[in-house]
C-alpha cells in the first residue's frame, strides 16, 4: 500500500458553503463562529481600527470571505440590503457625466435609484434589450459600466453572459450582474468573464424570509473603490444579522438544489395545464434561451412565472391556494407567489407594464423546499377552482 497522500480535490460548492473563509472559533466556543455584538473595540491592540460601520468586524470578515470563495472573487462586501450593494457599486464606480447601460426591466429599486437620485446628480443611463447584437451600439466614450440580470425578474429571460462580458471588456466597460435568482450554486458569472457580482442576499442567501442584506463580490481593485462608498452610505449589518447570514449560507447548496428540482417539475406541470396560457422557465425545452441557460447554469433555479388563461380569475386562484402563500419577496424555504403588477412592478406606468407583458394574470412563483406532490396538488386545485 502506498503511503502517498491523495491530492486534495477542489472543494465543491456545498463544502464552500460550510467551510470557506476564516473560522475564528476556539475549542471552548465549539464549531460555530461566535457572534460579536460589540460596537466598541480596543484600537491599541489591533493593527486596524474596528467599527461595525467600517464593515471590518470578525462577523463581517467571515461572511465576506465565504461569499468571495463562493463567487470565485478576490473580495466581497456584505451590505444592509441588495439596494445598498447596488448603490455602492454605482456611486463608487461612476462620476457626474458618466454613462451606464442597464438591462431593460432591471429590479425596480435599481431603476428608481437611477431615475430618482443618480440622474439628478449628473449620471446618465441607457436601456439595453438584452440582444447580443445591440449592446455595442450603446457604448459611448463615457460608458463606465453595464448592469444586467440573468435570469430576469419576472419573465425569466436569460442573456449570454460570456458574450456580454467579452463585448464589455473589449471596450473597457465594467460588467456587473445581479445574480440573485441563480445564486453562486447555479451560476458563477466571474468564471464567465464578469467583473462584479451582486445579490439581494435577502432572498436565497438568507433563505428564510427573516433577514435583509446584500452582497457584492469582485476584484480587489474594484472592491477598493466600492467599499468606501458603502461605508459612507452607512450600509452595514450588525453581528447578529451577519451570524444569521452565515448560518443560512451553510444550507444554501441543499436549499437551491431542492428548490430547482421542485421548480422544474412544477414548470412542466403548468406547461401542460389547460388553465395556464404560458410558462416562463429556462429549464423548459421550449424556453427561447434554454440552450444558453443550459450552457451557463448548473440548474435552472427556483423561480418561474406563468400566465393564467384570460377567463381564469387571478384573485380566485390566489385565494384558493392552501400551501402556497401570496407574499412579496422570494427565495425562502417556503413557496410563495405574487403578481408583479401589484408588487415588484406596481410603480411602473400602465404603458410600461404593457410593454413588459405584465398584467394581473401574470404570476411569479418562488418555489420552496416542500414535498413536491403537495405543491403540485395545491396549484392544480387552485387552478380548477378559479
Amino acid at each position: 500500500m502506498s503511503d502517498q497522500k491523495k491530492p486534495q480535490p477542489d472543494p465543491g460548492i456545498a463544502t464552500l458553503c460550510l467551510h470557506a473563509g476564516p473560522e475564528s472559533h476556539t475549542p471552548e466556543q465549539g464549531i460555530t463562529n461566535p457572534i460579536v455584538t460589540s460596537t466598541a473595540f480596543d484600537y491599541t491592540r489591533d493593527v486596524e481600527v474596528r467599527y461595525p460601520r467600517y464593515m471590518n468586524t470578525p462577523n463581517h470578515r467571515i461572511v465576506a470571505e465565504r461569499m468571495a470563495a463562493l463567487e470565485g472573487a478576490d473580495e466581497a462586501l456584505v451590505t444592509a440590503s441588495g439596494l445598498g450593494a447596488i448603490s455602492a457599486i454605482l456611486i463608487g464606480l461612476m462620476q457626474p457625466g458618466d454613462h451606464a447601460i442597464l438591462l431593460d426591466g432591471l429590479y425596480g429599486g435599481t431603476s428608481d435609484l437611477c431615475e430618482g437620485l443618480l440622474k439628478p446628480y449628473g449620471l446618465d443611463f441607457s436601456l439595453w434589450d438584452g440582444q447580443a447584437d445591440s449592446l455595442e451600439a450603446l457604448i459611448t466614450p463615457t460608458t463606465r459600466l453595464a448592469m444586467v440580470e440573468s435570469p430576469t425578474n419576472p419573465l425569466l429571460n436569460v442573456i449570454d453572459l460570456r458574450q456580454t462580458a467579452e463585448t464589455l471588456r473589449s471596450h473597457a466597460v465594467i460588467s456587473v450582474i445581479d445574480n440573485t435568482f441563480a445564486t453562486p450554486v447555479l451560476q458563477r458569472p466571474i468564471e464567465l468573464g464578469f467583473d462584479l457580482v451582486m445579490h439581494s442576499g435577502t432572498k436565497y442567501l438568507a433563505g428564510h424570509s427573516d433577514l435583509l442584506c446584500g452582497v457584492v463580490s469582485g476584484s480587489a481593485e474594484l472592491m477598493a473603490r466600492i467599499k468606501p462608498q458603502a461605508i459612507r452610505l452607512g450600509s452595514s449589518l450588525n453581528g447578529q444579522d451577519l451570524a444569521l447570514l452565515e448560518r443560512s449560507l451553510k444550507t444554501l447548496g441543499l436549499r437551491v438544489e431542492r428548490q430547482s428540482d421542485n421548480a422544474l417539475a412544477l414548470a412542466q406541470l403548468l406547461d401542460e395545464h389547460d388553465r395556464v396560457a404560458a410558462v416562463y422557465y429556462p429549464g423548459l425545452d421550449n424556453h427561447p434561451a434554454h440552450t444558453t441557460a443550459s450552457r451557463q447554469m448548473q440548474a435552472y433555479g427556483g423561480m418561474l412565472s406563468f400566465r393564467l388563461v384570460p377567463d381564469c380569475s387571478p384573485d380566485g386562484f390566489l385565494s384558493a391556494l392552501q400551501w402556497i402563500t401570496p407574499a412579496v419577496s422570494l427565495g425562502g424555504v417556503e413557496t410563495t407567489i405574487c403578481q408583479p403588477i401589484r408588487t415588484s412592478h406596481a410603480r411602473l406606468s400602465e404603458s410600461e407594464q404593457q410593454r413588459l407583458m405584465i398584467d394581473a394574470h401574470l404570476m411569479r412563483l418562488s418555489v420552496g423546499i416542500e414535498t413536491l406532490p403537495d405543491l403540485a396538488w395545491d396549484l392544480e386545485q387552485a387552478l380548477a377552482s378559479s
Side-chain angles (χ1 to χ4, degrees), residues 45-240:
R45 299 186 182 186
D46 202 344
V47 295
E48 184 176 6
V49 176
R50 298 197 183 276
Y51 186 61
R53 187 171 65 83
Y54 300 161
M55 304 180 182
N56 62 357
T57 68
N59 293 116
H60 282 99
R61 186 179 70 253
I62 289 165
V63 178
E65 292 195 21
R66 187 163 300 174
M67 281 304 307
L70 288 171
E71 292 289 4
D74 292 343
E75 297 180 8
L77 184 68
V78 183
T79 59
S81 69
L83 193 59
I86 293 169
S87 300
I89 292 168
L90 294 175
I91 295 173
L93 301 180
M94 296 181 69
Q95 300 284 335
D98 286 348
H99 170 255
I101 298 168
L102 307 178
L103 182 68
D104 193 10
L106 275 180
Y107 166 59
T110 304
S111 302
D112 183 59
L113 170 70
C114 295
E115 292 291 331
L117 178 63
L118 300 183
K119 267 193 175 182
Y121 281 90
L123 280 68
D124 187 28
F125 301 92
S126 296
L127 295 180
W128 175 44
D129 62 7
Q131 300 301 310
D133 57 2
S134 62
L135 177 58
E136 198 160 17
L138 297 174
I139 299 173
T140 74
T142 60
T143 304
R144 298 293 173 257
L145 64 87
M147 181 175 289
V148 304
E149 292 176 9
S150 184
T152 63
N153 179 16
L155 293 180
L156 283 298
N157 295 321
V158 174
I159 66 170
D160 188 321
L161 297 184
R162 189 179 296 279
Q163 185 173 8
T164 299
E166 289 175 354
T167 299
L168 295 172
R169 184 155 299 194
S170 69
H171 292 273
V173 175
I174 298 168
S175 52
V176 185
I177 181 171
D178 183 337
N179 202 35
T180 298
F181 273 23
T183 82
V185 175
L186 304 182
Q187 182 170 271
R188 289 163 62 92
I190 288 176
E191 293 179 352
L192 299 171
F194 266 72
D195 296 307
L196 291 169
V197 181
M198 65 77 48
H199 293 266
S200 173
T202 308
K203 279 64 173 187
Y204 285 101
L205 302 186
H208 294 76
S209 304
D210 59 2
L211 177 61
L212 191 70
C213 59
V215 179
V216 56
S217 308
S219 69
E221 184 272 327
L222 290 176
M223 296 304 297
R225 295 168 61 185
I226 293 168
K227 185 173 182 178
Q229 301 302 343
I231 293 172
R232 292 179 181 118
L233 290 166
S235 186
S236 178
L237 284 184
N238 61 56
Q240 292 175 337

